[in-house]
């Protein structure tokens, strides 16, 4: 969707998406879409692989918040998502 989104690999299996969205509802919808598409099975060379991803997000309208603080908040939310998935058995 144009220039309003940036995806970057932070290292290992961690990625960050930065997106200019109108409100928190849109941020939650984006998170849910990413999680839905990442938590699926794919067929590679005849082998079915189950992909699982934990997605954390943070939404703000305050441009003065430091990027590292935003990343830290999103990281914390990702661990909440991971714990929730384990507790509900959604990892299986």
């Amino acid at each position: 969707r144009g220039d309003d989104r940036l995806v970057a690999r932070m290292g290992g299996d961690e990625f960050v998406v930065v997106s200019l969205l109108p409100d928190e509802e849109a941020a939650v919808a984006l998170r849910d879409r990413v999680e839905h598409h990442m938590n699926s099975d794919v067929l590679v060379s005849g082998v079915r692989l189950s992909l699982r991803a934990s997605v954390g997000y943070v939404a703000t309208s305050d441009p003065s918040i430091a990027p590292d603080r935003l990343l830290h908040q999103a990281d914390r939310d990702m661990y909440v998502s991971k714990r929730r998935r384990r507790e509900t058995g959604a990892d299986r």
Side-chain angles (χ1 to χ4, degrees):
R1 284 183 3 175
D3 296 331
D4 65 348
R5 199 165 289 151
L6 169 74
V7 178
R9 179 173 176 247
M10 297 297 289
D13 62 353
E14 292 188 356
F15 296 82
V16 65
V17 176
V18 177
S19 187
L20 301 175
L21 298 169
D23 53 36
E24 188 167 358
E25 184 177 318
V28 170
L30 174 60
R31 179 207 56 200
D32 291 347
R33 280 196 315 275
V34 169
E35 204 164 65
H36 171 76
H37 289 291
M38 291 301 298
N39 291 321
S40 61
D41 294 342
V42 296
L43 198 59
V44 178
S45 299
V47 177
R48 182 173 305 281
L49 301 174
S50 294
L51 302 178
R52 299 296 174 256
S54 299
V55 179
Y57 87 101
V58 63
T60 185
S61 60
D62 183 353
S64 69
I65 297 177
D68 60 327
R69 183 168 168 216
L70 292 172
L71 287 173
H72 178 73
Q73 290 173 333
D75 197 49
R76 281 194 348 226
D77 190 60
M78 185 250 334
Y79 281 103
V80 169
S81 172
K82 191 177 287 215
R83 185 175 59 244
R84 187 179 327 112
R85 229 183 45 231
R86 263 195 317 267
E87 290 171 354
T88 63
D91 264 349
R92 296 176 208 134

